[in-house]
Amino acid sequence: QVQLVESGGGLVQAGGSLRLSCTASGRTSNYYTMGWFRQAPGKEREFVAGITGFTWTGGNTHYADSVKGRFTISRDNAEKTVYLQMNSLKPEDTAVYYCAPTMSTNYQYWGQGTQVTVSS
């Protein structure tokens, strides 16, 4: 089982930037697909961005329409870390952000996530 720890959240003004990190440990050798998700209060968890591939290096990226052009997902093979660079943040981006070894919200082992709050 892979363990994932999210970090990097915080409070930022609208238009600002944050970079989230998701560090994997444990049995990571098969987890080449990674995704970022978010859940705002009173709303269901939704897919934000994902990266696929056959190794921990590079891969194809995928984004929700709501973040396309503003968010960038990437990963560091040596650090077994997946990043989410978030630019031009909007108040509607406020949520708890999670990572998972999938691009589906139908995942059972969510971590604690990291809170992102964007003030207007």
Side-chain angles (χ1 to χ4, degrees):
Q1 184 67 35
V2 65
Q3 290 82 44
L4 302 169
V5 178
E6 304 96 343
S7 62
L11 173 63
V12 64
Q13 289 188 333
S17 299
L18 283 174
R19 189 177 80 155
L20 306 184
S21 299
C22 169
T23 301
S25 61
R27 300 180 63 181
T28 63
S29 60
N30 295 325
Y31 292 96
Y32 304 135
T33 294
M34 295 295 296
W36 281 100
F37 303 80
R38 66 187 181 188
Q39 187 168 21
K43 295 188 176 181
E44 293 189 351
R45 201 181 324 253
E46 63 176 358
F47 170 79
V48 174
I51 188 164
T52 60
F54 294 102
T55 70
W56 265 87
T57 303
N60 296 317
T61 57
H62 310 267
Y63 298 95
D65 288 343
S66 59
V67 305
K68 230 173 249 184
R70 300 188 297 122
F71 290 11
T72 303
I73 187 172
S74 62
R75 58 183 165 197
D76 183 315
N77 180 46
E79 298 295 326
K80 289 295 189 285
T81 298
V82 180
Y83 302 100
L84 185 67
Q85 178 67 44
M86 306 187 296
N87 299 327
S88 302
L89 282 162
K90 305 175 181 180
E92 51 263 44
D93 294 318
T94 295
V96 178
Y97 283 70
Y98 303 87
C99 64
T102 178
M103 290 200 297
S104 169
T105 56
N106 192 24
Y107 179 67
Q108 299 180 27
Y109 304 103
W110 299 101
Q112 293 188 332
T114 186
Q115 175 71 48
V116 172
T117 303
V118 185
S119 62
S120 56

